[in-house]
Amino acid sequence: SQQGEEDPQALSIQEGENATMNCSYKTSINNLQWYRQNSGRGLVHLILIRSNEREKHSGRLRVTLDTSKKSSSLLITASRAADTASYFCATDHTGANSKLTFGKGITLSVRP
Amino acid sequence: ETGVTQTPRHLVMGMTNKKSLKCEQHLGHNAMYWYKQSAKKPLELMFVYSLEERVENNSVPSRFSPECPNSSHLFLHLHTLQPEDSALYLCASSPHRGYNSPLHFGNGTRLTVT
């Protein structure tokens, strides 16, 4: 399977702490994307990082990509209760049958 | 407001019913997608349309029938579904076919098959 695998499956932290979520994949990619999903809602795109990039920032979000290890991490700094959601990584793999492959997601709970 | 609107938000149907899910995007995108999200499973891509032409059909049973009358609207017609088809059905759009730009998702239709 090409799908990204997120780690951990669930994470519970206190408001103000940092949250780190990881994603690993198996075959080469064009890009890797992180999405957030609040309960009962659709997915919202957070950051897209291309295979030739190593780090990207967006507000309190920092994404790194290590293509040699086939892994990515999403760091949320100074977490807030509103960050409580499921987070998914999705990988666009190289090859003729390009498809965005999603992982099963990480459930993040931020305690006020 | 995501720019992608799905109706209805919730749907309960029996196995012999026929119903349709609707998706509308106001982003001027040329590609639209149907995904199925089941508990504890990754999102499954069902269909992809590019400029109203179906370009992908990922081994989806024929009881699911998509329709794309124009680049702003996408439907998923349902008939004789099974209980295992109960899931959240998500519509998404992107500027063009392919995944070098983000997908924009609607809030989904929660389908329950009884």
Side-chain angles (χ1 to χ4, degrees):
Chain A
S1 170
Q2 294 179 323
Q3 74 188 51
E5 293 188 8
E6 296 103 340
D7 170 65
Q9 291 186 336
L11 181 61
S12 181
I13 60 174
Q14 197 74 34
E15 202 166 28
E17 294 180 338
N18 296 340
T20 299
M21 291 168 271
N22 303 298
C23 173
S24 61
Y25 56 92
K26 295 180 180 176
T27 60
S28 61
I29 59 172
N30 297 311
N31 67 68
L32 184 146
Q33 304 177 30
W34 284 93
Y35 289 81
R36 183 188 77 231
Q37 184 178 34
N38 290 89
S39 180
R41 312 282 283 185
L43 279 72
V44 175
H45 177 259
L46 297 176
I47 290 183
L48 182 153
I49 186 165
R50 303 189 191 283
S51 60
N52 61 351
E53 298 174 312
R54 293 296 167 258
E55 187 171 313
K56 287 190 84 168
H57 297 256
S58 176
R60 293 184 295 113
L61 307 181
R62 171 177 169 250
V63 167
T64 61
L65 178 65
D66 187 334
T67 53
S68 67
K69 296 181 179 178
K70 292 186 170 60
S71 68
S72 172
S73 66
L74 169 65
L75 169 68
I76 303 176
T77 59
S79 64
R80 305 167 182 170
D83 295 326
T84 295
S86 293
Y87 291 81
F88 296 85
C89 77
T91 42
D92 174 23
H93 292 269
T94 57
N97 295 319
S98 175
K99 181 183 296 186
L100 195 64
T101 306
F102 286 82
K104 294 181 182 179
I106 297 171
T107 301
L108 173 66
S109 298
V110 181
R111 304 186 301 273
Chain B
E1 179 58 50
T2 67
V4 179
T5 303
Q6 290 187 244
T7 54
R9 289 296 312 277
H10 302 272
L11 179 62
V12 179
M13 60 186 289
M15 289 190 284
T16 58
N17 290 159
K18 291 184 179 182
K19 296 287 185 183
S20 296
L21 310 185
K22 179 182 176 182
C23 175
E24 183 175 0
Q25 59 98 359
H26 311 278
L27 301 169
H29 290 170
N30 289 327
M32 296 186 78
Y33 311 76
W34 279 118
Y35 281 88
K36 176 184 179 182
Q37 186 177 32
S38 305
K40 310 294 185 186
K41 294 176 69 175
L43 263 71
E44 301 173 52
L45 179 63
M46 301 175 72
F47 301 104
V48 181
Y49 276 83
S50 177
L51 294 171
E52 301 132 52
E53 178 186 350
R54 189 190 313 179
V55 294
E56 282 189 53
N57 176 346
N58 289 281
S59 303
V60 179
S62 60
R63 58 186 184 268
F64 295 91
S65 174
E67 178 190 1
C68 188
N70 55 63
S71 59
S72 298
H73 294 85
L74 185 65
F75 295 88
L76 188 62
H77 303 300
L78 317 171
H79 64 97
T80 57
L81 294 191
Q82 304 298 311
E84 60 264 28
D85 297 323
S86 298
L88 181 67
Y89 288 85
L90 292 164
C91 173
S93 70
S94 65
H96 304 284
R97 181 191 176 192
Y99 303 103
N100 59 1
S101 57
L103 296 180
H104 296 252
F105 285 86
N107 283 324
T109 294
R110 172 68 63 186
L111 174 67
T112 303
V113 182
T114 60

